[in-house]
């Protein structure tokens, strides 16, 4: 469904991605873990050309492009197949919830307004916001804003949704509602590439977990294998730090 091969990206003298390969099959949920600064955001941004990688190739469905040599046309085609959910929601503050969901459908996808309105309503209903169609972002909690952002991504019906730490800007009591919406998106069979530190999500939902450090993949595997018997020392050190804060997962895997 989506594969990236040999992605390299350097900022100045800082080599941030050192040849990353990732394959995600249709309907698969892949979680990327890794310490801050390991290149996770840059990788997602390269995949939808918010950032231009120096080397590497991308395949999405039947599209095959080279990151550095992609034409404008190819970049647009890739963007039409992907959607991104950001840490900071990135809603338009001058549009209400339903207009935020409609925006990409109308402007990028050229879907008639009436049809886009119906799709937007349906997607907002699915994330539990049927009473918030006309609310402005400023009137919504962080959790509700992120649910609008997820509805907006799903409405575009992309081949893959890229999530970049979608819950890390939220107050702790709002994390659960966003994770549960993400779980229901996963259950719909939507292909997801998710950067998150939420171990319970990785454990319950991920088909595969990838651990990245210093711009490269250190190891990958089934969540259970990665969490209980990581092969690499760096993975273990990272998990020990994170799991200390996440007793729920730790206890579950204790035996
Ligand atoms: N636009 C940019 N210009 C210069 N350096 C950047 C830019 N974006 C990211 N970096 C650097 O790339 C490295 C990886 O960052 P990032 O991809 O955000 O990591 P992560 O998401 O894993 O925390 C960091 O050292 C960061 O400072
Ligand atoms: Mg990041």
């Amino acid at each position: 469904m989506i594969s990236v091969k040999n992605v390299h990206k350097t900022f100045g003298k800082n080599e941030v991605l050192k040849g990353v390969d990732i394959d995600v099959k249709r309907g698969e949920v892949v979680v990327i873990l890794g310490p801050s600064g390991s290149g996770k955001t840059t990788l997602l941004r390269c995949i939808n050309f918010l950032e231009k990688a120096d080397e590497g190739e991308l395949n999405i469905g039947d599209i095959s492009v080279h990151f550095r040599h992609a034409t404008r046309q190819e970049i647009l085609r890739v963007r039409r197949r992907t959607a991104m959910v950001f840490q900071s929601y990135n809603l338009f503050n001058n549009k209400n919830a339903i207009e935020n969901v409609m925006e990409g459908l109308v402007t990028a996808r050229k879907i008639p307004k009436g049809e886009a309105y119906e799709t937007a309503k349906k997607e907002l209903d699915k994330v539990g916001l049927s009473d918030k169609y006309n609310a402005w972002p400023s009137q919504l909690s962080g959790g509700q804003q992120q649910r609008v952002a997820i509805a907006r991504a799903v409405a575009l019906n992309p081949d893959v949704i890229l999530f970049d730490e979608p819950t890390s800007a939220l107050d702790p009591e709002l994390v659960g509602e966003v994770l549960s919406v993400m779980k229901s998106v996963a259950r719909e069979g939507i292909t997801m590439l998710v950067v998150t530190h939420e171990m319970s999500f990785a454990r319950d939902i991920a088909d595969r977990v990838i651990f990245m450090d210093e711009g490269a993949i250190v190891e990958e595997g089934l969540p259970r294998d990665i969490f209980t018997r990581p092969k690499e020392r760096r993975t273990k050190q990272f998990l020990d730090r994170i799991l200390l804060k996440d007793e729920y997962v730790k206890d579950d895997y204790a035996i």
Side-chain angles (χ1 to χ4, degrees):
M1 163 60 51
I2 169 166
S3 81
V4 295
K5 283 196 186 67
N6 194 32
V7 190
H8 284 262
K9 176 69 185 174
T10 299
F11 290 112
K13 288 187 177 145
N14 186 7
E15 194 181 10
V16 173
L17 298 174
K18 302 172 181 169
V20 174
D21 297 304
I22 293 184
D23 264 303
V24 187
K25 296 190 199 72
R26 183 183 294 276
E28 216 182 5
V29 177
V30 174
V31 163
I32 302 179
L33 302 173
S36 175
S38 54
K40 307 178 300 295
T41 295
T42 304
L43 175 67
L44 295 188
R45 290 173 58 84
C46 284
I47 291 176
N48 66 1
F49 289 91
L50 290 174
E51 206 70 74
K52 195 152 193 175
D54 306 319
E55 275 302 325
E57 282 153 44
L58 169 68
N59 287 282
I60 296 188
D62 58 350
I63 305 175
S64 184
V65 292
H66 190 282
F67 282 115
R68 191 153 48 102
H69 305 302
T71 63
R72 249 182 77 79
Q73 212 56 37
E74 285 174 329
I75 292 173
L76 283 175
R77 287 179 69 206
V78 169
R79 293 221 176 111
R80 255 182 246 130
R81 303 289 188 91
T82 60
M84 189 145 169
V85 174
F86 302 87
Q87 186 177 333
S88 51
Y89 332 129
N90 286 19
L91 299 181
F92 296 107
N93 287 323
N94 59 345
K95 294 185 189 295
N96 64 27
I98 204 150
E99 289 165 345
N100 264 283
V101 180
M102 287 172 66
E103 174 69 18
L105 294 171
V106 174
T107 55
R109 301 288 155 88
K110 313 289 180 213
I111 290 172
K113 271 201 168 153
E115 194 183 320
Y117 185 78
E118 292 306 318
T119 302
K121 273 205 308 202
K122 191 182 83 192
E123 295 303 337
L124 284 173
D125 293 349
K126 276 174 24 195
V127 299
L129 294 176
S130 40
D131 54 341
K132 299 290 183 189
Y133 294 160
N134 299 315
W136 303 101
S138 60
Q139 297 171 320
L140 298 172
S141 72
Q144 290 170 331
Q145 290 186 62
Q146 194 60 301
R147 282 148 64 196
V148 173
I150 294 171
R152 173 175 65 178
V154 173
L156 294 168
N157 190 26
D159 285 351
V160 60
I161 303 182
L162 311 168
F163 292 81
D164 190 10
E165 301 203 32
T167 59
S168 59
L170 297 173
D171 291 334
E173 72 271 22
L174 302 178
V175 168
E177 66 190 62
V178 170
L179 290 180
S180 93
V181 163
M182 287 170 64
K183 287 179 185 179
S184 71
V185 171
R187 277 195 292 269
E188 279 186 55
I190 295 174
T191 311
M192 296 163 66
L193 186 56
V194 184
V195 173
T196 184
H197 290 169
E198 292 295 333
M199 295 296 163
S200 63
F201 178 83
R203 182 200 59 182
D204 295 343
I205 301 298
D207 297 297
R208 210 146 35 88
V209 171
I210 292 175
F211 174 66
M212 259 181 88
D213 193 17
E214 297 183 355
I217 292 177
V218 175
E219 73 175 292
E220 60 178 284
L222 299 174
R224 174 163 282 274
D225 292 337
I226 296 280
F227 292 148
T228 57
R229 39 182 175 275
K231 292 195 184 79
E232 301 294 329
R233 188 179 47 85
R234 271 190 290 172
T235 315
K236 187 170 176 347
Q237 282 172 346
F238 175 79
L239 290 174
D240 283 348
R241 277 206 311 275
I242 295 276
L243 292 179
L244 270 181
K245 294 187 225 143
D246 202 341
E247 294 298 327
Y248 166 60
V249 173
K250 199 171 135 194
D251 291 348
D252 236 50
Y253 277 133
I255 314 151

